[in-house]
Amino acid sequence: MRTTELLAPTLREIPAEAEVISHQLLLRAGFIRRETAGVYTYLPLAMRVLKKINQIIREEMDRQGGQELLMPIIQPAELWQESGRWDVYGPELFRLKDRHNREFALGPTHEEIITALVRSEVSSYKQLPLLLYQIQNKYRDERRPRFGLLRGREFIMKDLYSFDRDYEGLQISYQKMHEAYTQVFRRCGLRFRPVEADSGAIGGSDTHEFMVLADSGEAVVLFCRKEGCDYAANVEKAAQVIVAAGHGEEPKLLSEVSTPGVHTVEEVSAFLNVTPQKIIKTLLYETEKEVVAVLVRGDREVNEVKLANALGCLHLKLSGADTVRSVTGAQVGFAGPVKLNVKIVADLEAATIVNAVTGANKDDTHLINVSPARDFSIDIVADVRMVQAGEPCPRCGEALIEAKGIEVGQIFKLGDKYSKALGAFYLDESGQSRPVIMGCYGIGVTRTMAAAIEQNNDKDGIIWPAAIAPFQVVVVPISVKEEQQMAAAEDVYNRLIAAGIEALLDDRPERAGVKFKDADLIGYPLRVTIGAKSLGSKQVEVRVRKTGEVLMIPNDELENRIGELLGGL
RNA sequence: CGGGAUGUAGCGCAGUUUGGCUAGCGCGCUUGCCUUGGGAGCAAGAGGCCGGGGGUUCAAAUCCCUCCAUCCCGACCA
């Protein structure tokens, strides 16, 4: 391919709409253009990258026994009503009607379709297990599409569904996908971690998210710093380790103190001269069923995902000032568990604090020397708080480290949720009808492309890992008017192509600086420069994008050395 | 959905406060000359429903109403 034939419109300035680096660079380097919020056209350079990622995915899925198919994007409402998700999925589901006023959804995911397929085509244990996947556009009407390709409304996703006879089979399929995903992201040249994640109030037991570590990530992950310990979890999931309370403290006399205008933990701590560790923070939450009081230590934060799981509720929200007053009788900042007439959920840690400070459910008043059991009863004790960096690893006890991550993949054990809802049963050897046991496994392809940029860039532009670069080498003649240079450039280009290396010849009649800037911006791993400097010599000048290093390679070793270099990038 | 901001040429912006000459600048684009190892220079050009609609006015990019779009923060996210 020659640059004069390639549609790769680079921009000198950063479009005002782009905030995160991957979005800026994808626009500037001519990979994507926005059509409307969260919807993009992928230009030829992006398409080449996506094809490579897809190819890697296909190879790894197929290696594990996956079979590719293609399902419809337009899905009938009836199927979604059958699974119950027509209502549950909410406004995020794009809906449309046909000319007969029949309702449809644009597929945000394909559990319904694939389960419907399996229920009609699979009827015997002999047909199981099955691993079926597709790579296709997905549609989710995000409330707030943002960050370019990191959160779009239309995006490309690989989704695989596993069908097994039982949970043991599911475990095997799950492990296969765990391995496949590890290989996919490794081959894409990404620094990532599989992390334990929360599976939600309903649904399967296990789930892992594959996180690309990057500061722009929306997810917070905690992982163990100890070499060899592979504990890593989404902050929503990370379990707290109970450090032995250790205070064999005797409960002292409960008493009330006046604390005018002292609301926050910091204020209480300073005013009463107690550490936040001795304060029990009481927060009121409303679920679809009830109001609950949640107790956590003063220096901790409530983890709403864990809380929802502990309560077995679907929706959860922090109560407003009105509810707080009607439940506690006091303004916000003075709630406490003593004599409070709602369900009380205490965090594991908070439940052990003796002689604590709490709100008194009375304006401008706190209680001191509050002790659980004696002064109030707890309905549920559970891990309902956020774990913070520095806390012990649940597996080995070493300190946890916090990092931001971009979720590029998730593997999930569904169990029989969809097979039962949609009626996908098979007959076992004894002729008994059983639900197919399912798993689902997604990779955000377009998000992976953006994540790769988030992780691999510098002030000059993108630095593609060689495996997914749009072209592996760009050949730049300094002056296309110099016949000798052009002839040399053509020769190098042809040799690289013949050697199976994806080369691009920058034959534009531009000045060298312009071509260099574009090459850096687009991020080809290697650049071969053909100019007066090296023309007469027996060496070819090769520059490594990642390091800026310039190598003089003997002409007759060119193909081999470039192949070697690419292998290391 | 709550809060904030912005819509003027392909991109980045000025002009709007205080209505008034033919709507500007930089980059990019076209043509020519010149130049050619990190976004050169000179010259001549093309390119605008000033987001849409309605209103006020002798006169609207500018004031008013309304709709739309885009971005940011938050909430939300199988």
Side-chain angles (χ1 to χ4, degrees), chain A residues 96-250:
Chain A
L96 65 154
K97 288 180 180 171
D98 70 5
R99 60 170 70 195
H100 308 297
N101 226 26
R102 192 178 158 206
E103 290 190 290
F104 294 86
L106 293 184
T109 175
H110 281 69
E111 281 84 7
E112 279 79 3
I113 297 282
I114 195 111
T115 309
L117 176 80
V118 165
R119 80 175 161 198
S120 55
E121 306 308 329
V122 171
S123 46
S124 160
Y125 71 94
K126 294 174 190 163
Q127 294 169 284
L128 299 174
L130 268 180
L131 300 173
L132 300 171
Y133 75 97
Q134 63 173 349
I135 298 173
Q136 179 202 57
N137 283 8
K138 292 285 184 282
Y139 297 84
R140 295 184 192 180
D141 195 357
E142 293 282 346
R143 259 182 205 184
R144 192 180 155 206
R146 57 181 145 175
F147 306 147
L149 298 189
L150 290 175
R151 183 169 293 276
R153 294 195 295 171
E154 176 183 80
F155 55 96
I156 300 171
M157 184 170 166
K158 184 283 308 181
D159 45 326
L160 183 145
Y161 304 87
S162 67
F163 301 88
D164 284 283
R165 302 178 53 176
D166 49 31
Y167 283 88
E168 282 156 31
L170 172 58
Q171 180 58 25
I172 293 167
S173 295
Y174 190 84
Q175 280 308 323
K176 283 183 174 177
M177 284 302 114
H178 194 288
E179 170 62 16
Y181 277 40
T182 301
Q183 290 305 324
V184 166
F185 297 120
R186 186 189 59 74
R187 288 181 61 190
C188 287
L190 297 168
R191 295 182 297 283
F192 69 98
R193 288 194 92 107
V195 308
E196 294 177 16
D198 181 77
S199 55
I202 343 162
S205 42
D206 275 335
T207 178
H208 284 81
E209 292 167 342
F210 284 76
M211 295 283 188
V212 164
L213 303 179
D215 289 337
S216 55
E218 294 183 85
V220 177
V221 303
L222 291 163
F223 57 89
C224 185
R225 73 175 180 194
K226 185 174 160 188
E227 196 79 21
C229 177
D230 60 354
Y231 181 80
N234 189 312
V235 71
E236 293 173 346
K237 172 77 174 180
Q240 64 171 299
V241 174
I242 315 302
V243 181
H247 36 231
E249 228 176 286
E250 284 303 311

Side-chain angles (χ1 to χ4, degrees), chain A residues 25 145 250 279 317 411 416 496 503-504 536:
Chain A
L25 289 174
E250 284 303 311
I279 297 171
K317 99 178 199 291
I411 58 178
D416 59 11
L496 291 175
L504 176 71

Side-chain angles (χ1 to χ4, degrees), chain A residues 223-284:
Chain A
F223 57 89
C224 185
R225 73 175 180 194
K226 185 174 160 188
E227 196 79 21
C229 177
D230 60 354
Y231 181 80
N234 189 312
V235 71
E236 293 173 346
K237 172 77 174 180
Q240 64 171 299
V241 174
I242 315 302
V243 181
H247 36 231
E249 228 176 286
E250 284 303 311
K252 298 182 205 156
L253 186 64
L254 176 70
S255 55
E256 215 175 83
V257 292
S258 175
T259 53
V262 179
H263 303 87
T264 65
V265 167
E266 293 74 42
E267 289 164 359
V268 174
S269 171
F271 188 85
L272 294 174
N273 195 26
V274 294
T275 63
Q277 286 80 3
K278 292 295 276 183
I279 297 171
I280 294 177
K281 186 158 66 174
T282 305
L283 298 165
L284 295 183

Side-chain angles (χ1 to χ4, degrees), chain A residues 476-488:
Chain A
V476 180
I478 294 295
S479 172
V480 296
K481 282 189 192 159
E482 296 291 333
E483 282 178 25
Q484 280 185 312
Q485 278 186 33
M486 257 325 265

Side-chain angles (χ1 to χ4, degrees), chain A residues 325-401:
Chain A
R325 177 161 287 286
S326 71
V327 171
T328 69
Q331 55 173 297
V332 174
F334 301 97
V338 180
K339 290 180 186 154
L340 195 62
N341 274 330
V342 294
K343 182 184 277 185
I344 291 179
V345 182
D347 179 63
L348 295 171
E349 192 178 55
T352 68
I353 305 176
V354 177
N355 296 325
V357 171
T358 75
N361 298 322
K362 191 162 133 188
D363 283 350
D364 298 332
T365 312
H366 278 79
L367 297 176
I368 58 170
N369 298 330
V370 175
S371 297
R374 185 192 68 183
D375 302 323
F376 63 95
S377 60
I378 299 170
D379 298 288
I380 299 174
V381 178
D383 177 1
V384 293
R385 71 169 176 86
M386 292 286 187
V387 170
Q388 296 160 326
E391 289 193 47
C393 166
R395 205 162 290 166
C396 74
E398 191 61 47
L400 294 172
I401 295 170

Side-chain angles (χ1 to χ4, degrees), chain A residues 472-514:
Chain A
Q472 297 171 316
V473 182
V474 62
V475 179
V476 180
I478 294 295
S479 172
V480 296
K481 282 189 192 159
E482 296 291 333
E483 282 178 25
Q484 280 185 312
Q485 278 186 33
M486 257 325 265
E490 297 265 9
D491 179 54
V492 166
Y493 169 72
N494 287 327
R495 281 170 58 197
L496 291 175
I497 295 289
I501 293 163
E502 291 178 24
L504 176 71
L505 179 61
D506 193 345
D507 58 342
R508 292 177 298 170
E510 292 285 353
R511 293 164 58 87
V514 172

